[in-house]
Amino acid sequence: MLVSYKWLSELVDLSNISPKELGDTMSITGIEVEGIEVLAENLKKIVVGEVLSCVDHPDSDHLHICQVNIGEEEPTQIVCGAPNVKAGIKVIVALPGARIAGNTKIKKGKIRGEVSHGMICSLEEIGYSDSVIPKEYSEGIQYLPTEAVPGEEVFSYLDMDDAIIELSITPNRADALSMRGVAHEVAAIYRQEPTFNEEVLVEVPRLASDKISVTVENKELVPAYQIRIIENVTVAPSPQWLQNRLMNAGIRPINNVVDVTNYILLQYGQPLHAFDYDRLGSEELVIRAAKENETLVTLDGETRNLTPENIVITNGKVPHALAGVMGGLDSEIIETSTTVALEAALFDGLYVRRTSKQFNLRSESSARFEKGTNHATISEACDVAAAMIAKLAGGEVLTGAVAGSEVTAEPVEVSITLERINSYLGTDLSESVVQEIFTALGFSSEVRGERFHVTVPPRRWDIRIEADLIEEVARIYGYNNLPSTLPSGETVAGSLTTGQRKTRKIRHLLEGNGLSEAISYALTTEEKARQFMIEESIPTRLNWPMTEDRSTLRMNLTSGLLEDVAYNIARKNQQVAFYEIGNVFHQTDEAGKELPVEEQHLAIALAGDWLLQDWQGKAEKVTYFHAKGILDHLFTSLDLADQVTYTPTSELKELHPGRTAIVSLGEQVIGFIGQVHPSTAKAYDLPETYVAELNLAAILEVESRFVFQTVSKFPSVSRDIAMLVAETVSSQQIIQEIEAAAGKHLTEVAIFDVYQGSNIEAGHKSLAYHLTFANPEATLTDEEINKAMEKVTKRLTEELKAVIR
């Protein structure tokens, strides 16, 4: 937000406050000042000139020889190449020795044989950006007002001697995206009352409702919409003071009608739009969602293909504007416009954000709708704009605003105790001091019992709870005035909780397996938040997100890890193995009044090569079994391996249906493991990638006890068993059956061969296992081992229909 110090001085008394002092004070009270710029700095010897005569240069087809009055006894000769230079105009003149933009020095010289004592300048040559120069002067020189005095410095006529203060406005302080909002802030800091001398609206006795009707189809998306009609306007350039204010705020002047809407945008923070009433082609406006394949040519000349996600203003048949983003070319204000339909509205910020992102159209208006506007001044802003258009363009405002929907802004009451304020801030503020701060902020307050009951006006829609009031007291009292103390109390040795010890052990295990820790954003898009979900949850959205990409609290860790993997793959890192431990946020309250439940999760992601190619061998790609091996090692180290089971699933749409399993701890589902579905991987721009996510909180709740066992002095015995089973039978099932039948002396079961192909019946596979038996009290005999193997064989044959080979 660019704030004019001169303009602000009209609203608040800054006579004894310099721009630098103001900037420093605002920075320590909560609104950061990025910088202060005075356009006239580093410029000198730039004055007003009056072109007395202008003739063509004899040796050029585009140069002109001008005699210019610069306030001296004799005119001075200047050669100028601007196409719009002519006699009788006031211009910007850089005298010999002057410094213009880019620290360029102007010298007396000859141009094609003719002496030139200086230079007639365009706005760009004295430091203005091309994007803010009025179109009529963008290819030539700027005309100054007729009252400009030749020889005087030009800066005051263009407000170049104004200090432009750049504010960094955070999403929660969107109320400061207007001059009135900034004036309230500054007035609170310096204990003043802002003064707003607005133009008074005078209506003519003709009804606007006789000229137009307004229909809003969805009042949830468009809570407020009204139109005012101004007739008999004359479209012309705006007065210089208005152009100056717009240019200093970074907005290009267009004409007196459009410039007023932009001026009100800066003053109130309320976006407006002006339609050429006669070019609408109808006496009704219908505000609705766009239809599929509907098109609109916007003011920039581009044809936009609309979708139902866009809100449009139509004449009942065809769209004429993208709500909150940009108007249509067919109904823009042009030189011949005589009747203006002035729109003031409130549009759903999410829809405006999606539309501006969809078409890559970011504007001052869309930014304000996204962050929020003052609902209490929608009609007031429209009335003041109509009055200004009538004054500057000679129009007549018809009686009444035609409304399609209306919103009523009510003050909010928040109560808090003095003890709570002092407890949070570490202060000892008195009741009178706190009440004085609320008064300075423009909040009415009343003390009833031990509580302040504070009434917050609609212009501060960011204040809703006690913490907001505490922040306001801290800001205005001064962060620099808050006491600072060192920690007190006895210093004792710290220790880790059981959960912290286990979490640290898990980190070491994963890093020992070659994984690196990644830390992803806790905020993401709603679409990504809903991915990789094993339980239903309502997404938790921020009220004022910085961007739509960071608008929703994550409900999984995997989507964030995939973004990290994609970032590394794009930078030619072919060996990516990440893990992340962090909180996810589940919401069960549909009304959104309760805080979401934070649940600690663990996620891993593998992509690319597991082993890189070197002189010892070829590269090895990551597979499902690398990811599963990491989980198996983790569960074994936590003494949970005998409680964990893997169940194949095809329910998770973001994962490959044939390479995904649900992970359960006892009877509780704690996560999943699998390959990222090819379509999901394509959306993230990933190669073949494997992921797993576990409910770490559930794992940490399980008490694991390690029992010490001495190394047996008796030898162990090994047996191998191979079998043919249906391909639907999992290795986990086979191992469970072996363990159930083999008896107490079985110590280990390990698969060592898998075969499926020729010489094997279709729909079947061959598996081979290595069984280890040991008795810590005696040497096992062949008879004992054979009996155990017979039981295993019988169990596998009966339960799994296995054919022992």
Side-chain angles (χ1 to χ4, degrees):
M1 174 72 180
L2 298 177
V3 174
S4 162
Y5 177 80
K6 277 188 175 182
W7 190 356
L8 188 61
S9 297
E10 297 175 7
L11 309 178
V12 184
D13 183 10
L14 300 178
S15 55
N16 296 318
I17 304 165
S18 68
K20 184 180 185 308
E21 180 186 346
L22 175 62
D24 292 342
T25 304
M26 292 188 71
S27 290
I28 63 174
T29 53
I31 296 182
E32 183 181 356
V33 174
E34 295 279 0
I36 301 174
E37 180 185 12
V38 179
L39 288 175
E41 277 185 344
N42 303 320
L43 302 178
K44 64 177 184 178
K45 300 186 73 173
I46 301 176
V47 301
V48 176
E50 180 182 10
V51 181
L52 301 177
S53 66
C54 178
V55 297
D56 292 340
H57 193 294
D59 294 328
S60 172
D61 58 356
H62 71 282
L63 295 176
H64 309 278
I65 301 172
C66 302
Q67 301 300 319
V68 183
N69 173 17
I70 57 171
E72 297 179 354
E73 292 184 1
E74 296 292 330
T76 187
Q77 179 171 297
I78 299 176
V79 177
C80 178
N84 62 335
V85 66
K86 60 183 179 180
I89 60 173
K90 302 286 181 67
V91 294
I92 304 166
V93 176
L95 302 175
R99 294 281 181 179
I100 61 173
N103 201 30
T104 301
K105 186 175 182 179
I106 302 301
K107 299 178 181 179
K108 173 184 175 181
K110 284 188 176 183
I111 300 178
R112 296 196 179 183
E114 294 292 338
V115 175
S116 182
H117 296 275
M119 176 181 180
I120 298 177
C121 298
S122 67
L123 289 177
E124 188 173 9
E125 288 164 333
I126 59 172
Y128 283 91
S129 168
D130 181 60
S131 62
V132 303
I133 298 173
K135 286 187 176 180
E136 64 264 32
Y137 303 129
S138 60
E139 299 297 329
I141 57 174
Q142 170 80 17
Y143 295 172
L144 295 177
T146 55
E147 64 270 17
V149 179
E152 288 188 355
E153 283 196 333
V154 77
F155 306 128
S156 62
Y157 294 103
L158 296 172
D159 283 334
M160 294 182 70
D161 53 352
D162 190 7
I164 306 303
I165 305 170
E166 184 178 358
L167 303 182
S168 177
I169 306 297
T170 51
N172 65 308
R173 287 306 309 273
D175 63 287
L177 284 172
S178 69
M179 290 300 300
R180 290 168 64 98
V182 175
H184 279 292
E185 177 73 11
V186 173
I189 295 171
Y190 291 105
R191 305 304 193 268
Q192 297 183 25
E193 278 285 336
T195 303
F196 306 118
N197 297 316
E198 308 296 6
E199 199 71 40
V200 178
L201 177 64
V202 178
E203 299 174 317
V204 296
R206 297 194 299 276
L207 294 177
S209 56
D210 292 340
K211 297 278 290 186
I212 198 166
S213 64
V214 177
T215 303
V216 175
E217 291 191 353
N218 189 335
K219 294 185 180 181
E220 290 186 3
L221 299 182
V222 189
Y225 193 95
Q226 68 173 46
I227 288 286
R228 273 200 172 274
I229 302 296
I230 306 105
E231 294 184 330
N232 302 320
V233 301
T234 301
V235 177
S238 298
Q240 191 65 49
W241 69 267
L242 179 52
Q243 294 192 32
N244 293 345
R245 288 194 171 174
L246 294 181
M247 289 191 293
N248 285 346
I251 298 175
R252 184 198 297 274
I254 305 296
N255 56 54
N256 49 6
V257 174
V258 176
D259 291 353
V260 166
T261 64
N262 287 326
Y263 178 82
I264 296 299
L265 171 77
L266 297 174
Q267 188 175 25
Y268 281 85
Q270 173 61 47
L272 305 174
H273 184 69
F275 296 97
D276 184 329
Y277 173 84
D278 296 319
R279 300 176 70 200
L280 285 172
S282 171
E283 292 185 357
E284 69 169 339
L285 288 181
V286 178
I287 297 85
R288 57 170 172 79
K291 299 175 182 177
E292 201 69 53
N293 299 322
E294 210 166 21
T295 62
L296 169 67
V297 180
T298 47
L299 288 171
D300 56 3
E302 296 290 330
T303 300
R304 311 290 179 178
N305 295 313
L306 308 179
T307 68
E309 292 292 310
N310 312 134
I311 306 172
V312 289
I313 289 84
T314 75
N315 64 357
K317 297 178 181 178
V318 297
H320 276 277
L322 271 174
V325 179
M326 185 175 283
L329 190 64
D330 291 343
S331 58
E332 71 168 327
I333 300 296
I334 57 176
E335 291 181 0
T336 57
S337 300
T338 57
T339 303
V340 174
L342 182 64
E343 166 198 279
L346 174 62
F347 300 113
D348 183 273
L350 178 59
Y351 272 71
V352 172
R353 169 63 181 162
R354 286 174 176 169
T355 299
S356 64
K357 186 177 180 181
Q358 176 183 342
F359 299 114
N360 195 27
L361 289 174
R362 298 288 294 161
S363 65
E364 295 285 347
S365 295
S366 66
R368 283 165 174 80
F369 280 125
E370 291 167 25
K371 294 180 173 66
T373 61
N374 185 357
H375 298 177
T377 57
I378 297 173
S379 295
E380 181 184 343
C382 187
D383 290 350
V384 174
M388 288 186 65
I389 292 173
K391 180 179 180 180
L392 300 180
E396 298 174 327
V397 183
L398 272 58
T399 298
V402 183
S405 57
E406 296 180 89
V407 64
T408 301
E410 298 290 347
V412 173
E413 184 175 293
V414 184
S415 65
I416 191 171
T417 63
L418 180 63
E419 179 186 2
R420 187 167 178 83
I421 294 173
N422 284 323
S423 174
Y424 265 76
L425 301 181
T427 54
D428 190 23
L429 302 178
S430 66
E431 182 180 295
S432 60
V433 169
V434 173
Q435 194 148 20
E436 187 273 334
I437 290 174
F438 290 145
T439 301
L441 286 163
F443 304 166
S444 60
S445 62
E446 180 185 355
V447 179
R448 297 199 293 268
E450 296 183 351
R451 301 187 73 83
F452 284 98
H453 293 267
V454 183
T455 302
V456 182
R459 63 178 174 81
R460 288 302 304 274
W461 62 89
D462 58 306
I463 298 177
R464 290 291 182 271
I465 59 177
E466 287 186 346
D468 297 330
L469 287 180
I470 294 171
E471 181 184 11
E472 292 302 299
V473 172
R475 287 192 320 104
I476 303 304
Y477 180 68
Y479 291 125
N480 55 321
N481 294 324
L482 297 180
S484 57
T485 58
L486 292 173
S488 60
E490 184 181 356
T491 302
V492 297
S495 62
L496 299 177
T497 64
T498 301
Q500 289 171 331
R501 282 197 301 271
K502 281 187 178 181
T503 303
R504 182 170 290 187
K505 180 178 181 179
I506 289 170
R507 292 181 192 274
H508 292 163
L509 288 169
L510 295 173
E511 289 164 6
N513 278 282
L515 277 67
S516 300
E517 184 174 14
I519 299 176
S520 305
Y521 286 108
L523 294 171
T524 183
T525 64
E526 185 171 329
E527 178 187 3
K528 291 180 179 178
R530 291 181 180 277
Q531 293 178 339
F532 303 101
M533 296 288 294
I534 56 176
E535 60 180 276
E536 287 298 319
S537 175
I538 302 168
T540 305
R541 284 187 54 83
L542 300 187
N543 283 336
W544 298 297
M546 291 285 285
T547 68
E548 192 60 27
D549 291 339
R550 305 294 174 201
S551 63
T552 308
L553 286 172
R554 66 186 177 188
M555 297 187 287
N556 69 85
L557 297 182
T558 305
S559 58
L561 272 187
L562 293 185
E563 290 179 348
D564 299 337
V565 172
Y567 182 90
N568 280 265
I569 292 294
R571 284 151 183 80
K572 306 303 180 183
N573 182 0
Q574 298 302 317
Q575 192 175 32
V576 182
F578 289 148
Y579 79 91
E580 180 172 6
I581 294 175
N583 288 345
V584 299
F585 305 86
H586 294 300
Q587 178 69 266
T588 55
D589 177 22
E590 293 189 9
K593 295 181 180 180
E594 299 294 331
L595 291 175
V597 176
E598 297 186 41
E599 191 173 79
Q600 193 175 35
H601 277 208
L602 160 68
I604 68 172
L606 310 176
D609 295 332
W610 181 251
L611 294 176
L612 296 175
Q613 181 177 353
D614 59 15
W615 62 275
Q616 292 179 306
K618 296 181 179 180
E620 180 183 345
K621 295 289 184 183
V622 296
T623 65
Y624 171 88
F625 297 103
H626 287 118
K628 185 173 182 295
I630 292 171
L631 295 193
D632 288 343
H633 181 211
L634 175 66
F635 293 133
T636 300
S637 300
L638 296 176
D639 198 29
L640 299 175
D642 58 340
Q643 302 179 52
V644 173
T645 56
Y646 300 87
T647 306
T649 182
S650 58
E651 296 298 318
L652 296 173
K653 63 180 181 179
E654 293 85 14
L655 296 173
H656 194 297
R659 299 180 182 179
T660 301
I662 294 295
V663 183
S664 301
L665 181 61
E667 299 297 322
Q668 181 183 3
V669 174
I670 62 168
F672 61 82
I673 178 174
Q675 180 188 341
V676 176
H677 195 286
S679 61
T680 306
K682 183 178 180 181
Y684 281 90
D685 201 14
L686 292 171
E688 188 173 306
T689 303
Y690 294 88
V691 295
E693 184 164 338
L694 305 174
N695 181 347
L696 184 58
I699 295 173
L700 297 179
E701 287 176 1
V702 179
E703 292 188 14
S704 55
R705 297 182 179 180
F706 294 92
V707 179
F708 172 77
Q709 292 181 333
T710 59
V711 177
S712 175
K713 60 183 179 180
F714 300 100
S716 61
V717 179
S718 298
R719 290 287 188 273
D720 292 342
I721 184 171
M723 69 201 77
L724 193 68
V725 295
E727 63 180 3
T728 56
V729 176
S730 67
S731 177
Q732 180 176 261
Q733 291 176 279
I734 295 172
I735 292 175
Q736 289 174 341
E737 297 297 341
I738 291 174
E739 290 175 341
K744 64 180 180 179
H745 297 316
L746 178 69
T747 59
E748 184 181 1
V749 181
I751 186 170
F752 68 86
D753 184 61
V754 179
Y755 179 75
Q756 190 173 12
S758 58
N759 301 323
I760 295 292
E761 183 181 349
H764 289 71
K765 59 186 175 182
S766 173
L767 305 175
Y769 293 85
H770 188 74
L771 282 63
T772 302
F773 298 86
N775 185 351
E777 298 176 354
T779 300
L780 289 170
T781 64
D782 284 344
E783 184 180 356
E784 291 176 306
I785 299 299
N786 290 337
K787 284 183 179 180
M789 292 301 294
E790 287 174 3
K791 291 180 181 179
V792 169
T793 300
K794 182 178 179 182
R795 180 101 179 198
L796 293 173
T797 303
E798 292 177 352
E799 298 296 330
L800 302 180
K801 310 301 180 185
V803 177
I804 307 303
R805 307 181 71 192

